[in-house]
Amino acid sequence: MGVAIANPLWCAAEAIGRLKLRLAPTEGKRVGSIGPVRFEFDFQLDPSMRLMYVGAYEHGVTTLMRRLLRAGDTFVDVGANVGYLSGVAAQCVGETGRVFSFEPMPDHHARLQKCIAMNPSLQWQAFQHAIGAEEGEASLVVSRRNIGWNTIVPGQIPEDQVRSTVQVRVRALDDCLQEAGVARVR
């Protein structure tokens, strides 16, 4: 009850999201949108795709992004996964802003590229490497339970929850942004 009184708008958004979730597809793929940004939702991939489809995924994070990001801003998404939060950022920064999505997992990177291709008017780029302190290679541990829980941090995922490992390139974020001519990130 305390949360509802302290933040009634958040509570209302959560309730609406739960109602919409009852109507969301449970299988197949659908092209939908995040505001004006076209996005493919693959419901077999992970249960969280249904939350993304109805706009209820990471509601607190997306609300903050929409409050802070403005047209023309530059947004960096490290560990972009399938690109949902990058899509939210692209909606916010518009055609005059830039979105840089870093995702080393080959399958997720391919989904990002497909989403970017569906939105040719946006300045949105995806890079297939991890971000770290310095250039090199690392083993990306892929979770069997959660599409967003992949990491190059050793020991982060318990062995019984590891689906696979993939060798990935690692780059320093400062180097990537300097190459792209980015002086300021919001």
Side-chain angles (χ1 to χ4, degrees):
M1 184 67 167
V3 172
I5 293 170
N7 197 338
L9 293 177
W10 176 85
C11 189
E14 284 290 313
I16 291 168
R18 288 179 191 193
L19 288 173
K20 286 181 178 178
L21 192 57
R22 291 177 180 247
L23 304 172
T26 56
E27 56 189 37
K29 294 179 183 179
R30 297 251 172 98
V31 173
S33 64
I34 305 164
V37 178
R38 295 174 43 82
F39 191 88
E40 183 181 73
F41 299 90
D42 182 349
F43 301 105
Q44 261 80 298
L45 185 62
D46 191 83
S48 64
M49 293 299 278
R50 294 181 73 227
L51 292 168
M52 292 175 196
Y53 183 75
V54 300
Y57 178 78
E58 294 288 347
H59 184 262
V61 173
T62 58
T63 298
L64 184 61
M65 290 172 66
R66 288 182 175 112
R67 189 175 306 145
L68 296 177
L69 292 171
R70 302 283 176 258
D73 283 347
T74 297
F75 180 82
V76 176
D77 191 353
V78 175
N81 199 265
V82 297
Y84 180 78
L85 294 178
S86 289
V88 171
Q91 170 194 10
C92 297
V93 304
E95 293 181 14
T96 61
R98 297 171 80 183
V99 174
F100 296 95
S101 304
F102 296 91
E103 178 52 54
M105 176 73 170
D107 294 349
H108 297 338
H109 180 73
R111 289 176 190 279
L112 270 167
Q113 292 288 61
K114 186 173 186 180
C115 188
I116 290 168
M118 289 191 298
N119 296 283
S121 66
L122 298 174
Q123 295 183 64
W124 182 359
Q125 294 176 270
F127 301 88
Q128 192 175 350
H129 49 264
I131 296 297
E134 55 190 40
E135 182 103 18
E137 285 197 3
S139 292
L140 177 71
V141 179
V142 180
S143 169
R144 78 171 71 223
R145 289 189 38 220
N146 180 336
I147 63 166
W149 194 24
N150 305 322
T151 182
I152 61 172
V153 178
Q156 190 78 17
I157 299 177
E159 285 297 320
D160 66 331
Q161 295 178 28
V162 173
R163 183 179 74 182
S164 62
T165 58
V166 180
Q167 281 301 115
V168 297
R169 182 178 180 199
V170 179
R171 306 252 347 256
L173 182 59
D174 289 348
D175 294 344
C176 296
L177 295 178
Q178 184 177 26
E179 288 171 13
V182 175
R184 181 177 184 271
V185 175
R186 180 172 177 126

